[in-house]
Amino acid sequence: MTETRATSAITHRRVIRMAIPVLLANATVPILGAVDTGVIGQLGEAAPIAGVGLGSVILASIFWMFGFLRMGTTGLAAQAKGAGDHGELAALLTRVLLFGLGIGAVFILIQPILYWAGLGLSPATPEVEEMARRYMAVRIWSAPAAIALFGITGWLLAQERARAHMAILSLMNGANILLDLWFVLGLGWGIEGVALATAISEWAGFALGIWFCRAAFRDPAWRAWGQVFHIERLVHMARVNRDIMIRTGTLLAIMVSFTFVAGSFGALAQASNQVLLQFVYITGFALDGFAFGAESLVGQAMGARQRAELRRAVRLTSFWGMITVAVLSLGFAVFGGWIIDVMTTAPDVREEARRFLPWMVAAPLIGGPAWMLDGVFIGATRSADMRNMMLVSGVIYAVALVALVPLLGNHGLWAALLISYVARGLSLWSRYPALEATVGA
């Protein structure tokens, strides 16, 4: 196994080296979505576009229920690395692979139930539902790879293997795009072609991920079943992942309620808010690099019991995270109108979105601390704090929603969302001293 780097100096260069590959990898994500839509759009009908969109959203939502596996694995693996426990690193990889592959296999077995539940919650015309079923019936076969990849990604990021993460995502998205073009435009496979392209690309990403993890399989601990199924470690892993799942579910509830309330203002407000939410997603993608860096470096410092390194990890990753949000905020102020125009050609949506653009200028600066502190607490596996503080933020968001929306309408809705960011950031920061106190001086 690779030698531990827990005692390596945490420098600006080290932080940047982890962040850049993540930023580049994230940049490929929106390109894939555009190609998927563009290729199926060549069929000349609305139903296939809607069917692929509905099917992909249902499966993506189901898969993302297990996104906690990425975050939980990063913290646990980083701490094992920091402690120099190579055997636990190898055993942890086996645990997350068995979990991911097992859950994916269960989804394949119960796929009719998944389709019934998903389409029941997202009703559509019979034609669109039929096309969504056809898409999901092919795509579901990559469920084991898609879910296991969460664990592989977390394991690699914990060891600062950001280039491996970039290579996996680039391979998946690149293969998906090329296979889309071949299967749909070249072979005329339509809906099934788009689904098969995605399924193959996810299995290809899984295979590449396993190859990047090959050093772990040279350690006998990867198949030391007594260690892999060690009760205390399994319970700890389950507890961490349970807390992160609750935290993520609360965050999802906030975003879903935001969309529902926006819909009550009418189609124009809903459309403009959807455009503006892309600014929030751009901010999240940009901060991922430094938040992932915080997860890895904080976890390693915790595992090595080095308080000074913990403080330096928090300070340096936060420094670059705040520079990033400042640049984004300035960019949104200067180029926000142009970005809106690129996203939509509807004059009324453009005008409406511009009315609320100042909230997008403020969002990175207000939300940045919360996003960065998420990375710190993930690395420290302080999942109970993350869960509790997100629940507190959810309550504060709900109160702000009830108080501000009747008075300010859509402005009140955006204010409530940003207030939830402030609440999350401040509440997590209030728990930081307790986190630091757990590390030896």
Side-chain angles (χ1 to χ4, degrees):
M1 297 285 289
T2 306
E3 286 301 316
T4 181
R5 293 175 59 182
T7 56
S8 300
I10 298 177
T11 63
H12 290 287
R13 181 178 180 181
R14 187 174 171 189
V15 171
I16 292 293
R17 189 173 62 240
M18 285 187 288
I20 295 301
V22 176
L23 295 176
L24 294 176
N26 283 349
T28 68
V29 175
I31 297 173
L32 172 60
V35 172
D36 266 352
T37 303
V39 167
I40 203 67
Q42 299 306 304
L43 299 181
E45 300 176 24
I49 298 175
V52 168
L54 179 58
S56 62
V57 165
I58 290 173
L59 288 184
S61 299
I62 293 170
F63 295 168
W64 267 106
M65 287 170 54
F66 297 89
F68 60 79
L69 192 61
R70 203 285 303 161
M71 292 181 277
T73 301
T74 300
L76 294 170
Q79 290 186 23
K81 177 180 172 61
D85 191 347
H86 303 302
E88 173 56 18
L89 262 178
L92 176 63
L93 178 62
T94 302
R95 273 186 226 121
V96 298
L97 286 174
L98 290 175
F99 179 85
L101 292 171
I103 290 295
V106 169
F107 284 159
I108 291 174
L109 293 175
I110 65 169
Q111 55 184 290
I113 299 174
L114 298 181
Y115 306 158
W116 170 79
L119 294 172
L121 292 172
S122 307
T125 66
E127 184 181 12
V128 170
E129 286 194 2
E130 174 58 27
M131 292 190 175
R133 286 179 186 276
R134 286 165 52 191
Y135 174 89
M136 292 188 289
V138 175
R139 172 84 186 279
I140 192 66
W141 290 93
S142 64
I147 297 172
L149 262 172
F150 289 133
I152 290 174
T153 299
W155 193 86
L156 289 169
L157 288 172
Q159 299 171 80
E160 304 176 47
R161 303 279 298 279
R163 290 183 181 180
H165 168 65
M166 179 180 71
I168 293 170
L169 202 54
S170 299
L171 171 68
M172 289 172 57
N173 291 339
N176 203 341
I177 289 170
L178 293 175
L179 292 173
D180 265 348
L181 297 172
W182 182 25
F183 292 164
V184 180
L185 301 185
L187 301 177
W189 288 353
I191 295 279
E192 288 79 1
V194 174
L196 184 60
T198 303
I200 291 175
S201 69
E202 286 177 325
W203 276 111
F206 173 79
L208 183 60
I210 290 293
W211 186 80
F212 280 130
C213 298
R214 64 193 183 280
F217 300 113
R218 290 197 289 267
D219 191 311
W222 81 269
R223 50 187 172 83
W225 304 115
Q227 183 167 356
V228 170
F229 296 110
H230 191 281
I231 294 299
E232 289 184 9
R233 294 188 185 275
L234 284 173
V235 169
H236 181 50
M237 177 179 168
R239 187 184 304 116
V240 167
N241 286 320
R242 176 205 63 196
D243 293 340
I244 294 176
M245 182 173 64
I246 294 172
R247 170 260 182 199
T248 303
T250 305
L251 177 59
L252 181 61
I254 290 174
M255 298 310 298
V256 169
S257 69
F258 180 93
T259 301
F260 285 169
V261 173
S264 69
F265 299 141
L268 182 59
Q270 189 172 26
S272 67
N273 279 6
Q274 188 60 34
V275 169
L276 293 172
L277 277 173
Q278 307 312 308
F279 288 76
V280 177
Y281 299 150
I282 289 170
T283 302
F285 280 140
L287 278 180
D288 270 353
F290 300 108
F292 288 177
E295 293 175 21
S296 176
L297 295 176
V298 166
Q300 291 180 46
M302 293 288 291
R305 311 289 296 171
Q306 296 176 347
R307 184 180 296 178
E309 290 298 282
L310 169 65
R311 290 175 177 170
R312 185 162 178 80
V314 173
R315 189 164 59 248
L316 263 61
T317 54
S318 298
F319 170 79
W320 284 104
M322 292 307 99
I323 286 181
T324 300
V325 297
V327 170
L328 286 170
S329 184
L330 179 61
F332 292 164
V334 176
F335 300 108
W338 175 79
I339 296 173
I340 290 171
D341 291 346
V342 169
M343 292 184 183
T344 178
T345 58
D348 54 346
V349 177
R350 286 177 170 179
E351 182 180 353
E352 183 73 2
R354 278 177 166 81
R355 288 181 55 211
F356 299 94
L357 185 59
W359 292 108
M360 298 305 95
V361 176
L365 296 174
I366 291 175
W371 285 316
M372 290 305 303
L373 282 166
D374 274 346
V376 171
F377 278 75
I378 288 170
T381 60
R382 299 279 292 194
S383 56
D385 284 336
M386 292 181 67
R387 176 200 64 202
N388 295 340
M389 299 308 104
M390 180 60 79
L391 290 172
V392 168
S393 303
V395 171
I396 291 174
Y397 165 77
V399 171
L401 205 64
V402 172
L404 297 177
V405 168
L407 295 175
L408 303 173
N410 201 30
H411 282 292
L413 178 59
W414 280 108
L417 183 62
L418 267 60
I419 286 171
S420 76
Y421 293 160
V422 174
R424 191 158 110 232
L426 290 177
S427 59
L428 283 174
W429 182 247
S430 73
R431 297 298 303 156
Y432 177 77
L435 180 158
E436 191 175 278
T438 63
V439 184

PDB file of all heavy atoms in Angstrom, residues 415-428:
ATOM      1  N   ALA A 415     -34.591  34.714  -0.123  1.00  0.00           N
ATOM      2  CA  ALA A 415     -34.037  35.112   1.177  1.00  0.00           C
ATOM      3  C   ALA A 415     -34.046  33.941   2.150  1.00  0.00           C
ATOM      4  O   ALA A 415     -33.081  33.715   2.885  1.00  0.00           O
ATOM      5  CB  ALA A 415     -34.842  36.285   1.746  1.00  0.00           C
ATOM      6  N   ALA A 416     -35.121  33.150   2.155  1.00  0.00           N
ATOM      7  CA  ALA A 416     -35.212  31.995   3.050  1.00  0.00           C
ATOM      8  C   ALA A 416     -34.125  30.977   2.738  1.00  0.00           C
ATOM      9  O   ALA A 416     -33.514  30.401   3.653  1.00  0.00           O
ATOM     10  CB  ALA A 416     -36.592  31.355   2.938  1.00  0.00           C
ATOM     11  N   LEU A 417     -33.870  30.752   1.441  1.00  0.00           N
ATOM     12  CA  LEU A 417     -32.832  29.787   1.068  1.00  0.00           C
ATOM     13  C   LEU A 417     -31.465  30.257   1.554  1.00  0.00           C
ATOM     14  O   LEU A 417     -30.684  29.472   2.116  1.00  0.00           O
ATOM     15  CB  LEU A 417     -32.814  29.604  -0.449  1.00  0.00           C
ATOM     16  CG  LEU A 417     -31.815  28.569  -0.981  1.00  0.00           C
ATOM     17  CD1 LEU A 417     -32.146  27.173  -0.453  1.00  0.00           C
ATOM     18  CD2 LEU A 417     -31.791  28.555  -2.512  1.00  0.00           C
ATOM     19  N   LEU A 418     -31.153  31.537   1.352  1.00  0.00           N
ATOM     20  CA  LEU A 418     -29.851  32.042   1.787  1.00  0.00           C
ATOM     21  C   LEU A 418     -29.739  32.093   3.303  1.00  0.00           C
ATOM     22  O   LEU A 418     -28.650  31.904   3.861  1.00  0.00           O
ATOM     23  CB  LEU A 418     -29.593  33.422   1.171  1.00  0.00           C
ATOM     24  CG  LEU A 418     -28.807  33.401  -0.152  1.00  0.00           C
ATOM     25  CD1 LEU A 418     -29.558  32.607  -1.215  1.00  0.00           C
ATOM     26  CD2 LEU A 418     -28.538  34.820  -0.663  1.00  0.00           C
ATOM     27  N   ILE A 419     -30.855  32.327   3.979  1.00  0.00           N
ATOM     28  CA  ILE A 419     -30.853  32.278   5.447  1.00  0.00           C
ATOM     29  C   ILE A 419     -30.508  30.866   5.924  1.00  0.00           C
ATOM     30  O   ILE A 419     -29.788  30.694   6.926  1.00  0.00           O
ATOM     31  CB  ILE A 419     -32.217  32.724   6.004  1.00  0.00           C
ATOM     32  CG1 ILE A 419     -32.359  34.251   5.864  1.00  0.00           C
ATOM     33  CG2 ILE A 419     -32.383  32.308   7.464  1.00  0.00           C
ATOM     34  CD1 ILE A 419     -33.746  34.777   6.183  1.00  0.00           C
ATOM     35  N   SER A 420     -30.972  29.845   5.190  1.00  0.00           N
ATOM     36  CA  SER A 420     -30.625  28.464   5.576  1.00  0.00           C
ATOM     37  C   SER A 420     -29.127  28.229   5.440  1.00  0.00           C
ATOM     38  O   SER A 420     -28.539  27.478   6.228  1.00  0.00           O
ATOM     39  CB  SER A 420     -31.414  27.467   4.729  1.00  0.00           C
ATOM     40  OG  SER A 420     -30.902  27.349   3.411  1.00  0.00           O
ATOM     41  N   TYR A 421     -28.492  28.865   4.444  1.00  0.00           N
ATOM     42  CA  TYR A 421     -27.032  28.740   4.301  1.00  0.00           C
ATOM     43  C   TYR A 421     -26.328  29.365   5.503  1.00  0.00           C
ATOM     44  O   TYR A 421     -25.367  28.798   6.046  1.00  0.00           O
ATOM     45  CB  TYR A 421     -26.554  29.445   3.034  1.00  0.00           C
ATOM     46  CG  TYR A 421     -27.002  28.820   1.733  1.00  0.00           C
ATOM     47  CD1 TYR A 421     -26.998  29.569   0.553  1.00  0.00           C
ATOM     48  CD2 TYR A 421     -27.416  27.501   1.658  1.00  0.00           C
ATOM     49  CE1 TYR A 421     -27.402  29.019  -0.660  1.00  0.00           C
ATOM     50  CE2 TYR A 421     -27.813  26.933   0.460  1.00  0.00           C
ATOM     51  CZ  TYR A 421     -27.809  27.705  -0.699  1.00  0.00           C
ATOM     52  OH  TYR A 421     -28.202  27.159  -1.882  1.00  0.00           O
ATOM     53  N   VAL A 422     -26.792  30.549   5.894  1.00  0.00           N
ATOM     54  CA  VAL A 422     -26.199  31.229   7.046  1.00  0.00           C
ATOM     55  C   VAL A 422     -26.364  30.374   8.303  1.00  0.00           C
ATOM     56  O   VAL A 422     -25.417  30.194   9.085  1.00  0.00           O
ATOM     57  CB  VAL A 422     -26.849  32.613   7.255  1.00  0.00           C
ATOM     58  CG1 VAL A 422     -26.341  33.254   8.549  1.00  0.00           C
ATOM     59  CG2 VAL A 422     -26.552  33.531   6.074  1.00  0.00           C
ATOM     60  N   ALA A 423     -27.562  29.839   8.496  1.00  0.00           N
ATOM     61  CA  ALA A 423     -27.825  29.016   9.683  1.00  0.00           C
ATOM     62  C   ALA A 423     -26.928  27.787   9.700  1.00  0.00           C
ATOM     63  O   ALA A 423     -26.387  27.412  10.752  1.00  0.00           O
ATOM     64  CB  ALA A 423     -29.298  28.606   9.697  1.00  0.00           C
ATOM     65  N   ARG A 424     -26.753  27.160   8.546  1.00  0.00           N
ATOM     66  CA  ARG A 424     -25.909  25.964   8.476  1.00  0.00           C
ATOM     67  C   ARG A 424     -24.454  26.313   8.775  1.00  0.00           C
ATOM     68  O   ARG A 424     -23.781  25.602   9.529  1.00  0.00           O
ATOM     69  CB  ARG A 424     -26.039  25.312   7.101  1.00  0.00           C
ATOM     70  CG  ARG A 424     -25.419  23.940   7.023  1.00  0.00           C
ATOM     71  CD  ARG A 424     -26.032  23.160   5.868  1.00  0.00           C
ATOM     72  NE  ARG A 424     -25.097  22.967   4.770  1.00  0.00           N
ATOM     73  CZ  ARG A 424     -25.346  23.265   3.498  1.00  0.00           C
ATOM     74  NH1 ARG A 424     -26.501  23.806   3.170  1.00  0.00           N
ATOM     75  NH2 ARG A 424     -24.467  23.033   2.562  1.00  0.00           N
ATOM     76  N   GLY A 425     -23.978  27.394   8.181  1.00  0.00           N
ATOM     77  CA  GLY A 425     -22.592  27.787   8.401  1.00  0.00           C
ATOM     78  C   GLY A 425     -22.315  28.140   9.854  1.00  0.00           C
ATOM     79  O   GLY A 425     -21.336  27.673  10.451  1.00  0.00           O
ATOM     80  N   LEU A 426     -23.182  28.952  10.451  1.00  0.00           N
ATOM     81  CA  LEU A 426     -22.969  29.383  11.829  1.00  0.00           C
ATOM     82  C   LEU A 426     -23.114  28.222  12.811  1.00  0.00           C
ATOM     83  O   LEU A 426     -22.348  28.109  13.772  1.00  0.00           O
ATOM     84  CB  LEU A 426     -23.960  30.495  12.185  1.00  0.00           C
ATOM     85  CG  LEU A 426     -23.729  31.851  11.509  1.00  0.00           C
ATOM     86  CD1 LEU A 426     -24.826  32.844  11.907  1.00  0.00           C
ATOM     87  CD2 LEU A 426     -22.352  32.417  11.872  1.00  0.00           C
ATOM     88  N   SER A 427     -24.093  27.354  12.555  1.00  0.00           N
ATOM     89  CA  SER A 427     -24.295  26.237  13.484  1.00  0.00           C
ATOM     90  C   SER A 427     -23.143  25.238  13.411  1.00  0.00           C
ATOM     91  O   SER A 427     -22.699  24.717  14.448  1.00  0.00           O
ATOM     92  CB  SER A 427     -25.636  25.545  13.207  1.00  0.00           C
ATOM     93  OG  SER A 427     -25.687  25.051  11.876  1.00  0.00           O
ATOM     94  N   LEU A 428     -22.640  24.977  12.219  1.00  0.00           N
ATOM     95  CA  LEU A 428     -21.482  24.093  12.105  1.00  0.00           C
ATOM     96  C   LEU A 428     -20.253  24.722  12.750  1.00  0.00           C
ATOM     97  O   LEU A 428     -19.475  24.043  13.428  1.00  0.00           O
ATOM     98  CB  LEU A 428     -21.204  23.761  10.637  1.00  0.00           C
ATOM     99  CG  LEU A 428     -22.123  22.726   9.971  1.00  0.00           C
ATOM    100  CD1 LEU A 428     -21.820  22.628   8.482  1.00  0.00           C
ATOM    101  CD2 LEU A 428     -21.984  21.361  10.626  1.00  0.00           C
TER     102      LEU A 428
END
